[in-house]
Short mmCIF file of all heavy atoms in Angstrom, two decimals:
data_model
loop_
_atom_site.label_atom_id
_atom_site.label_comp_id
_atom_site.label_asym_id
_atom_site.label_seq_id
_atom_site.Cartn_x
_atom_site.Cartn_y
_atom_site.Cartn_z
N SER A 1 -3.06 -3.95 2.07
CA SER A 1 -2.43 -3.65 0.74
C SER A 1 -1.15 -4.55 0.63
O SER A 1 -0.91 -5.11 -0.50
CB SER A 1 -1.95 -2.21 0.71
OG SER A 1 -1.26 -1.93 -0.48
N TRP A 2 -0.36 -4.80 1.71
CA TRP A 2 0.78 -5.62 1.66
C TRP A 2 0.46 -7.08 1.35
O TRP A 2 1.02 -7.72 0.51
CB TRP A 2 1.55 -5.52 3.00
CG TRP A 2 2.84 -6.26 3.09
CD1 TRP A 2 2.96 -7.61 3.17
CD2 TRP A 2 4.20 -5.78 2.97
NE1 TRP A 2 4.31 -8.00 3.20
CE2 TRP A 2 5.01 -6.88 3.12
CE3 TRP A 2 4.71 -4.50 2.90
CZ2 TRP A 2 6.41 -6.75 3.11
CZ3 TRP A 2 6.08 -4.35 2.90
CH2 TRP A 2 6.90 -5.43 3.02
N GLU A 3 -0.53 -7.60 2.12
CA GLU A 3 -0.80 -9.00 1.94
C GLU A 3 -1.51 -9.36 0.65
O GLU A 3 -1.30 -10.42 0.10
CB GLU A 3 -1.70 -9.45 3.15
CG GLU A 3 -1.00 -9.35 4.48
CD GLU A 3 -1.84 -9.77 5.65
OE1 GLU A 3 -3.11 -9.84 5.43
OE2 GLU A 3 -1.37 -9.95 6.79
N ASN A 4 -2.40 -8.40 0.19
CA ASN A 4 -3.16 -8.70 -1.03
C ASN A 4 -2.40 -8.19 -2.35
O ASN A 4 -2.91 -8.45 -3.44
CB ASN A 4 -4.53 -8.05 -0.99
CG ASN A 4 -5.35 -8.60 0.13
OD1 ASN A 4 -5.34 -9.81 0.40
ND2 ASN A 4 -6.12 -7.77 0.85
N LYS A 5 -1.32 -7.48 -2.09
CA LYS A 5 -0.53 -6.97 -3.30
C LYS A 5 -1.42 -6.12 -4.18
O LYS A 5 -1.39 -6.16 -5.40
CB LYS A 5 0.06 -8.06 -4.10
CG LYS A 5 1.07 -8.93 -3.36
CD LYS A 5 1.73 -9.95 -4.26
CE LYS A 5 2.69 -10.82 -3.44
NZ LYS A 5 3.35 -11.86 -4.28
N LYS A 6 -2.21 -5.27 -3.53
CA LYS A 6 -3.13 -4.35 -4.28
C LYS A 6 -3.09 -2.94 -3.74
O LYS A 6 -2.98 -2.78 -2.53
CB LYS A 6 -4.58 -4.85 -4.21
CG LYS A 6 -4.85 -6.17 -5.02
CD LYS A 6 -6.34 -6.54 -4.94
CE LYS A 6 -6.58 -7.83 -5.78
NZ LYS A 6 -7.98 -8.25 -5.75
N SER A 7 -3.19 -1.97 -4.62
CA SER A 7 -3.16 -0.54 -4.19
C SER A 7 -4.56 -0.14 -3.65
O SER A 7 -5.59 -0.68 -4.13
CB SER A 7 -2.82 0.31 -5.39
OG SER A 7 -1.62 -0.02 -5.96
N LEU A 8 -4.54 0.64 -2.62
CA LEU A 8 -5.78 1.07 -2.04
C LEU A 8 -5.54 2.41 -1.39
O LEU A 8 -4.38 2.75 -0.96
CB LEU A 8 -6.41 0.04 -1.07
CG LEU A 8 -5.51 -0.32 0.17
CD1 LEU A 8 -5.76 0.60 1.32
CD2 LEU A 8 -5.93 -1.81 0.57
N GLY A 9 -6.66 3.20 -1.25
CA GLY A 9 -6.61 4.50 -0.62
C GLY A 9 -7.36 4.53 0.68
O GLY A 9 -8.29 3.74 0.87
N TRP A 10 -6.96 5.44 1.51
CA TRP A 10 -7.61 5.59 2.87
C TRP A 10 -7.59 7.03 3.27
O TRP A 10 -6.54 7.73 3.22
CB TRP A 10 -7.00 4.70 3.85
CG TRP A 10 -7.83 4.64 5.17
CD1 TRP A 10 -8.92 3.93 5.37
CD2 TRP A 10 -7.45 5.32 6.37
NE1 TRP A 10 -9.36 4.17 6.67
CE2 TRP A 10 -8.44 5.04 7.30
CE3 TRP A 10 -6.44 6.24 6.73
CZ2 TRP A 10 -8.47 5.57 8.55
CZ3 TRP A 10 -6.44 6.79 7.92
CH2 TRP A 10 -7.46 6.40 8.90
N VAL A 11 -8.70 7.58 3.76
CA VAL A 11 -8.78 8.99 4.08
C VAL A 11 -9.01 9.15 5.63
O VAL A 11 -9.90 8.34 6.21
CB VAL A 11 -9.93 9.70 3.33
CG1 VAL A 11 -10.00 11.14 3.78
CG2 VAL A 11 -9.69 9.56 1.88
N LYS A 12 -8.35 10.00 6.26
CA LYS A 12 -8.52 10.31 7.69
C LYS A 12 -8.28 11.75 7.97
O LYS A 12 -7.21 12.26 7.61
CB LYS A 12 -7.65 9.39 8.56
CG LYS A 12 -7.82 9.60 10.08
CD LYS A 12 -6.89 8.69 10.86
CE LYS A 12 -7.18 8.77 12.39
NZ LYS A 12 -6.98 10.06 12.88
N ASP A 13 -9.23 12.41 8.52
CA ASP A 13 -9.10 13.87 8.91
C ASP A 13 -8.63 14.64 7.67
O ASP A 13 -7.73 15.51 7.74
CB ASP A 13 -8.06 13.99 9.99
CG ASP A 13 -8.53 13.31 11.31
OD1 ASP A 13 -9.77 13.14 11.50
OD2 ASP A 13 -7.68 12.92 12.10
N PHE A 14 -9.31 14.41 6.58
CA PHE A 14 -8.96 15.13 5.32
C PHE A 14 -7.58 14.86 4.78
O PHE A 14 -7.09 15.51 3.86
CB PHE A 14 -9.22 16.68 5.43
CG PHE A 14 -10.54 17.01 5.93
CD1 PHE A 14 -10.81 17.37 7.21
CD2 PHE A 14 -11.64 16.92 5.08
CE1 PHE A 14 -12.03 17.71 7.65
CE2 PHE A 14 -12.90 17.27 5.51
CZ PHE A 14 -13.14 17.66 6.85
N HIS A 15 -6.95 13.86 5.38
CA HIS A 15 -5.62 13.47 4.86
C HIS A 15 -5.83 12.15 4.09
O HIS A 15 -6.39 11.17 4.65
CB HIS A 15 -4.63 13.23 6.08
CG HIS A 15 -4.23 14.51 6.69
ND1 HIS A 15 -3.60 14.52 7.93
CD2 HIS A 15 -4.37 15.82 6.36
CE1 HIS A 15 -3.37 15.75 8.27
NE2 HIS A 15 -3.82 16.53 7.31
N GLU A 16 -5.33 12.17 2.93
CA GLU A 16 -5.48 10.95 2.08
C GLU A 16 -4.21 10.25 1.85
O GLU A 16 -3.20 10.82 1.44
CB GLU A 16 -6.17 11.29 0.72
CG GLU A 16 -6.47 10.09 -0.15
CD GLU A 16 -7.48 10.34 -1.18
OE1 GLU A 16 -7.97 11.46 -1.30
OE2 GLU A 16 -7.72 9.42 -2.00
N PHE A 17 -4.19 8.95 2.11
CA PHE A 17 -3.05 8.12 1.89
C PHE A 17 -3.34 7.04 0.84
O PHE A 17 -4.43 6.47 0.83
CB PHE A 17 -2.61 7.39 3.20
CG PHE A 17 -2.21 8.26 4.35
CD1 PHE A 17 -3.16 8.68 5.23
CD2 PHE A 17 -0.98 8.75 4.45
CE1 PHE A 17 -2.83 9.51 6.32
CE2 PHE A 17 -0.58 9.59 5.49
CZ PHE A 17 -1.54 9.97 6.41
N TRP A 18 -2.35 6.83 0.04
CA TRP A 18 -2.50 5.72 -1.04
C TRP A 18 -1.43 4.77 -0.76
O TRP A 18 -0.17 5.16 -0.71
CB TRP A 18 -2.49 6.34 -2.50
CG TRP A 18 -3.74 6.81 -2.93
CD1 TRP A 18 -4.24 8.08 -2.79
CD2 TRP A 18 -4.85 6.08 -3.48
NE1 TRP A 18 -5.51 8.17 -3.30
CE2 TRP A 18 -5.92 6.91 -3.72
CE3 TRP A 18 -4.97 4.70 -3.85
CZ2 TRP A 18 -7.11 6.54 -4.33
CZ3 TRP A 18 -6.19 4.31 -4.41
CH2 TRP A 18 -7.19 5.22 -4.66
N PHE A 19 -1.72 3.49 -0.61
CA PHE A 19 -0.87 2.47 -0.37
C PHE A 19 -0.55 1.66 -1.62
O PHE A 19 -1.49 1.06 -2.15
CB PHE A 19 -1.33 1.47 0.80
CG PHE A 19 -1.62 2.24 2.04
CD1 PHE A 19 -2.83 2.76 2.31
CD2 PHE A 19 -0.61 2.37 3.04
CE1 PHE A 19 -3.15 3.37 3.50
CE2 PHE A 19 -0.85 3.01 4.25
CZ PHE A 19 -2.13 3.53 4.48
N ILE A 20 0.66 1.67 -2.12
CA ILE A 20 1.01 0.97 -3.35
C ILE A 20 2.10 -0.07 -3.01
O ILE A 20 3.25 0.30 -2.68
CB ILE A 20 1.47 1.91 -4.42
CG1 ILE A 20 0.45 2.99 -4.69
CG2 ILE A 20 1.87 1.21 -5.67
CD1 ILE A 20 0.86 4.12 -5.61
N PRO A 21 1.81 -1.37 -3.11
CA PRO A 21 2.87 -2.37 -2.76
C PRO A 21 3.87 -2.51 -3.87
O PRO A 21 3.54 -2.42 -5.07
CB PRO A 21 2.03 -3.66 -2.68
CG PRO A 21 0.87 -3.43 -3.50
CD PRO A 21 0.49 -1.96 -3.39
N ILE A 22 5.17 -2.58 -3.47
CA ILE A 22 6.28 -2.73 -4.37
C ILE A 22 6.71 -4.23 -4.29
O ILE A 22 7.24 -4.65 -3.37
CB ILE A 22 7.34 -1.86 -4.02
CG1 ILE A 22 6.97 -0.39 -4.11
CG2 ILE A 22 8.58 -2.04 -5.00
CD1 ILE A 22 8.00 0.60 -3.66
N PHE A 23 6.34 -5.01 -5.37
CA PHE A 23 6.51 -6.41 -5.21
C PHE A 23 6.95 -7.00 -6.59
O PHE A 23 6.78 -6.36 -7.66
CB PHE A 23 5.28 -7.17 -4.74
CG PHE A 23 4.12 -7.00 -5.77
CD1 PHE A 23 3.84 -7.98 -6.67
CD2 PHE A 23 3.29 -5.87 -5.70
CE1 PHE A 23 2.79 -7.84 -7.55
CE2 PHE A 23 2.18 -5.79 -6.54
CZ PHE A 23 2.01 -6.75 -7.53
N SER A 24 7.51 -8.17 -6.54
CA SER A 24 7.86 -8.98 -7.70
C SER A 24 7.24 -10.34 -7.63
O SER A 24 6.51 -10.55 -6.70
CB SER A 24 9.43 -8.98 -7.91
OG SER A 24 9.95 -9.77 -6.83
N ASP A 25 7.60 -11.25 -8.47
CA ASP A 25 7.17 -12.54 -8.43
C ASP A 25 7.68 -13.31 -7.19
O ASP A 25 7.13 -14.29 -6.72
CB ASP A 25 7.50 -13.38 -9.66
CG ASP A 25 6.89 -12.81 -10.94
OD1 ASP A 25 5.78 -12.23 -10.76
OD2 ASP A 25 7.39 -13.02 -11.99
N ILE A 26 8.78 -12.79 -6.65
CA ILE A 26 9.41 -13.44 -5.49
C ILE A 26 8.69 -13.11 -4.18
O ILE A 26 8.32 -13.95 -3.46
CB ILE A 26 10.93 -13.15 -5.44
CG1 ILE A 26 11.61 -13.54 -6.73
CG2 ILE A 26 11.63 -13.77 -4.21
CD1 ILE A 26 13.07 -13.12 -6.82
N ARG A 27 8.57 -11.75 -3.91
CA ARG A 27 8.05 -11.30 -2.68
C ARG A 27 7.77 -9.79 -2.78
O ARG A 27 8.04 -9.18 -3.73
CB ARG A 27 9.04 -11.65 -1.52
CG ARG A 27 10.32 -10.80 -1.57
CD ARG A 27 11.30 -11.19 -0.47
NE ARG A 27 12.50 -10.46 -0.50
CZ ARG A 27 12.72 -9.30 0.15
NH1 ARG A 27 11.73 -8.74 0.88
NH2 ARG A 27 13.90 -8.70 0.07
N VAL A 28 7.10 -9.32 -1.65
CA VAL A 28 6.84 -7.92 -1.51
C VAL A 28 8.06 -7.28 -0.78
O VAL A 28 8.44 -7.73 0.23
CB VAL A 28 5.53 -7.63 -0.66
CG1 VAL A 28 5.36 -6.14 -0.61
CG2 VAL A 28 4.38 -8.29 -1.30
N TYR A 29 8.61 -6.27 -1.47
CA TYR A 29 9.85 -5.64 -0.85
C TYR A 29 9.51 -4.48 0.08
O TYR A 29 10.07 -4.40 1.15
CB TYR A 29 10.78 -5.16 -2.03
CG TYR A 29 11.34 -6.24 -2.85
CD1 TYR A 29 10.67 -6.59 -4.08
CD2 TYR A 29 12.39 -6.92 -2.50
CE1 TYR A 29 11.13 -7.62 -4.86
CE2 TYR A 29 12.92 -7.99 -3.25
CZ TYR A 29 12.31 -8.28 -4.48
OH TYR A 29 12.80 -9.27 -5.21
N LYS A 30 8.65 -3.57 -0.41
CA LYS A 30 8.31 -2.38 0.39
C LYS A 30 6.84 -2.07 0.11
O LYS A 30 6.17 -2.52 -0.85
CB LYS A 30 9.20 -1.20 -0.06
CG LYS A 30 10.68 -1.46 0.30
CD LYS A 30 10.93 -1.28 1.72
CE LYS A 30 12.47 -1.36 2.04
NZ LYS A 30 13.00 -2.70 1.80
N LEU A 31 6.30 -1.15 0.82
CA LEU A 31 5.03 -0.53 0.66
C LEU A 31 5.21 0.98 0.45
O LEU A 31 5.67 1.65 1.35
CB LEU A 31 4.10 -0.86 1.85
CG LEU A 31 2.66 -0.50 1.65
CD1 LEU A 31 2.02 -1.37 0.59
CD2 LEU A 31 1.89 -0.68 2.93
N LEU A 32 4.90 1.49 -0.74
CA LEU A 32 4.95 2.87 -1.10
C LEU A 32 3.69 3.57 -0.62
O LEU A 32 2.64 3.20 -1.04
CB LEU A 32 5.24 3.07 -2.54
CG LEU A 32 5.13 4.55 -3.05
CD1 LEU A 32 6.21 5.37 -2.43
CD2 LEU A 32 5.34 4.54 -4.56
#
């Protein structure tokens, strides 16, 4: 998600995580 600057979901043990990159034209700042 960080490298491709795209949101994606992933499920493990019935726990679901969604990764949303926080980025601008300059760089990626954080991963939500």
Side-chain angles (χ1 to χ4, degrees):
S1 177
W2 181 287
E3 293 178 350
N4 297 321
K5 298 181 181 180
K6 291 184 178 180
S7 301
L8 59 89
W10 187 79
V11 180
K12 182 178 186 298
D13 298 334
F14 304 105
H15 292 165
E16 181 161 359
F17 298 93
W18 277 92
F19 301 90
I20 303 175
I22 300 175
F23 65 95
S24 65
D25 295 335
I26 302 175
R27 64 184 180 91
V28 180
Y29 294 98
K30 295 286 185 293
L31 189 66
L32 172 61

